[in-house]
Amino acid sequence: MIVQSFCLAAMEYGLGTCIMGLTILWPEIIRDIVATPKGKYIATTIAVGYPEFDAPINNFERPREALENLVEWHLD
Ligand SMILES: Cc1cc2nc3c(=O)[nH]c(=O)nc-3n(C[C@H](O)[C@H](O)[C@H](O)COP(=O)(O)O)c2cc1C
């Protein structure tokens, strides 16, 4: 929830984000880049930057599973 909220808040500032959970497999690389206090565990990383909306990498077709196939709503 924290990661999602961070990414949504970044959008409000015109920033794009990419959540990168795989980086925790190589925490020493992250520790080289970002000062991380000893004893603190890296839970995830989030790349933040200004999106290039016209870049091809940001414009390829990304099929999505239909929401109704993933979520069952119980509203009563
Ligand atoms: C918890 C979590 C961890 C993720 N870790 C990685 C990762 O390590 N590497 C990666 O390329 N994408 C990772 N992703 C996927 C990207 O953050 C992103 O969701 C994906 O590129 C889809 O982008 P799109 O919604 O613009 O298509 C992760 C997503 C989540 C939710």
Side-chain angles (χ1 to χ4, degrees):
M1 284 190 290
I2 290 170
V3 169
Q4 174 182 280
S5 298
F6 180 95
C7 295
L8 290 173
M11 282 178 65
E12 287 297 310
Y13 292 91
L15 293 164
T17 56
C18 185
I19 305 163
M20 299 181 301
L22 267 182
T23 50
I24 62 171
L25 295 180
W26 301 278
E28 64 282 359
I29 295 174
I30 304 302
R31 288 178 191 280
D32 277 353
I33 299 168
V34 182
T36 313
K38 271 203 159 76
K40 293 289 182 187
Y41 173 77
I42 298 171
T44 192
T45 52
I46 308 171
V48 181
Y50 292 100
E52 282 187 53
F53 291 107
D54 295 333
I57 193 75
N58 290 327
N59 287 289
F60 66 91
E61 183 89 24
R62 296 191 290 275
R64 303 286 187 194
E65 186 70 41
L67 186 63
E68 54 272 20
N69 293 340
L70 300 169
V71 178
E72 191 173 312
W73 301 100
H74 299 272
L75 302 173
D76 329 313

